[in-house]
Amino acid sequence: MKVFVTRKIPQAGLEILREHFEIDVFEGDSPISREELVTRASDCDGLLSLLTDTIDSEVMDEIGVKAIANYAVGYDNIDITAATQRKIPVTNTPGVLTDATADLTFALILSISRRIVESDKYLREGRWTGWDPILLLGGDFVGKTLGIIGLGRIGTAVAKRAKGFGMNIIYTDHHKKSIENELSARWVTFEELIVNSDYITIHIPHTTDTHHLIGKEELSKMKSTAYLINTSRGKIINEIELIEALKNRQITGAGLDVFYEEPDFNPELAKLDNVVIVPHIGSASFETRNKMAVMAAENLVEALKGEIPENIVNPEIYD
Ligand code: DGY
């Protein structure tokens, strides 16, 4: 059997694939084009895809693979309904990137609030004239309210970190989570979270229901001293409306790891001092990316052997 890997992933994953299959790996320095993906994968049984690859029904029909392993926990790049209709198992990489993503979320909370990037720039530009009681003041964390949208694996890991910082934690989710006592977290409605949080952080997938969950209306209800953090998916926020809110200081700042149309991002964002932007590096630690590679490869091996993979996203195909 042959599998196509749409980008170089850590060696540990490629070795697992090589033990079981003939493999073809796209070695380019930027995401593979749709055309090349279709050409290279069309004689393959399995596909190891990235979040940068759009795998829709047309691509599925053209390549005709029997299994797709996505190298990410999120899978909004794949049309799951189309895969399910075609009985193609799709897998993801949950769990292994939880801590790395929570760490980056906290790094963004700290960076935007304590103005780390702005301060670094200030110093490099030679503007520092000496210690100043009112220079580059930012926000505190102790006693501040962190609002977590989605208390799943990553949201919970963020809450654990926030507890260590002495923050009050509120969250919103479809239902109350039993872990809330351990985290000293309190379930609130989405509306309550928007209005009462000093920091809001998003940890839900991008779906038709969560598309533009935060836009003009929600931003106008946030505290003017609040910060918005997103390490989930860019399209959950209406980016144009966020930029307006940041320009007008309707909220104090934002920390963004994800954008509306990656790798392109709105150039207006780069002009703002009250935003910290990083290029979708939530899971970008050596250890985590290795674990993701191993998990994605094992998922593909299981799926192509006809087993139900542990991290199956559409288990209904086996009904
Ligand atoms: C994911 O896995 O979905 C992250 O966005 C990238 O690691």
Side-chain angles (χ1 to χ4, degrees):
M1 278 201 264
K2 186 172 174 187
V3 302
F4 181 58
V5 183
T6 65
R7 192 85 182 262
K8 257 189 301 179
I9 59 167
Q11 212 48 38
L14 294 179
E15 274 162 24
I16 293 172
L17 292 175
R18 246 182 233 114
E19 278 169 29
H20 295 267
F21 313 114
E22 181 189 341
I23 70 169
D24 180 18
V25 182
F26 176 67
E27 302 272 346
D29 290 331
S30 51
I32 190 169
S33 68
R34 184 179 172 101
E35 294 69 33
E36 186 159 3
L37 189 155
V38 166
T39 310
R40 303 258 301 255
S42 55
D43 64 340
C44 291
D45 302 283
L47 179 73
L48 194 144
S49 57
L50 265 58
L51 57 87
T52 43
D53 307 317
T54 301
I55 314 292
D56 53 26
S57 55
E58 268 175 40
V59 170
M60 286 176 209
D61 289 340
E62 288 190 63
I63 63 179
V65 291
K66 299 188 193 81
I68 302 171
N70 212 34
Y71 180 75
V73 66
Y75 44 84
D76 58 333
N77 57 306
I78 302 176
D79 183 339
I80 300 297
T81 309
T84 304
Q85 282 162 354
R86 289 159 180 75
K87 301 258 182 238
I88 302 172
V90 177
T91 62
N92 67 341
T93 61
V96 287
L97 47 79
T98 299
D99 284 315
T101 309
D103 288 342
L104 187 85
T105 302
F106 236 85
L108 288 174
I109 292 175
L110 298 174
S111 304
I112 187 60
S113 176
R114 293 304 306 271
R115 302 171 68 177
I116 305 292
V117 176
E118 210 185 327
S119 297
D120 176 279
K121 189 166 164 239
Y122 180 88
L123 199 59
R124 285 170 199 257
E125 286 173 354
R127 290 161 59 200
W128 194 28
T129 53
W131 193 87
D132 175 344
I134 53 164
L135 177 67
L136 288 162
L137 305 185
D140 265 335
F141 305 102
V142 168
K144 293 289 175 70
T145 298
L146 175 69
I148 303 177
I149 301 181
L151 198 70
R153 289 188 196 85
I154 299 173
T156 298
V158 171
K160 286 182 181 161
R161 284 152 180 78
K163 201 176 170 191
F165 275 79
M167 300 178 86
N168 301 321
I169 303 162
I170 58 177
Y171 72 98
T172 192
D173 208 312
H174 297 304
H175 51 83
K176 281 179 152 219
K177 297 289 178 101
S178 53
I179 196 159
E180 65 172 33
N181 288 342
E182 190 186 313
L183 298 170
S184 315
R186 189 168 55 85
W187 182 90
V188 293
T189 63
F190 177 70
E191 172 87 16
E192 285 169 331
L193 183 137
I194 293 291
V195 172
N196 294 312
S197 300
D198 297 301
Y199 298 85
I200 293 180
T201 182
I202 303 173
H203 301 289
I204 48 173
H206 174 240
T207 63
T208 43
D209 289 341
T210 64
H211 188 77
H212 285 189
L213 184 72
I214 300 210
K216 195 176 177 159
E217 194 186 325
E218 293 71 27
L219 291 159
S220 70
K221 290 181 187 160
M222 282 171 66
K223 293 183 183 179
S224 60
T225 49
Y227 300 89
L228 179 63
I229 311 297
N230 191 9
T231 55
S232 177
R233 285 293 182 268
K235 289 181 179 167
I236 295 174
I237 297 177
N238 182 323
E239 203 171 78
I240 302 280
E241 293 175 1
L242 172 63
I243 290 169
E244 275 316 297
L246 288 166
K247 276 188 184 164
N248 303 334
R249 304 274 158 172
Q250 212 169 359
I251 64 169
T252 295
L256 306 174
D257 179 41
V258 287
F259 303 90
Y260 210 85
E261 286 297 344
E262 298 176 7
D264 297 330
F265 66 97
N266 193 312
E268 290 302 308
L269 281 170
K271 295 184 192 158
L272 298 171
D273 275 340
N274 55 343
V275 63
V276 172
I277 45 177
V278 292
H280 205 149
I281 55 167
S283 62
S285 74
F286 293 110
E287 296 86 345
T288 295
R289 289 285 166 87
N290 254 319
K291 288 181 197 160
M292 287 168 67
V294 168
M295 186 177 266
E298 286 174 347
N299 288 339
L300 199 52
V301 172
E302 287 165 9
L304 287 176
K305 272 189 183 166
E307 294 165 13
I308 303 179
E310 198 182 327
N311 304 302
I312 184 80
V313 162
N314 53 348
E316 58 275 25
I317 64 161
Y318 295 103
D319 288 346

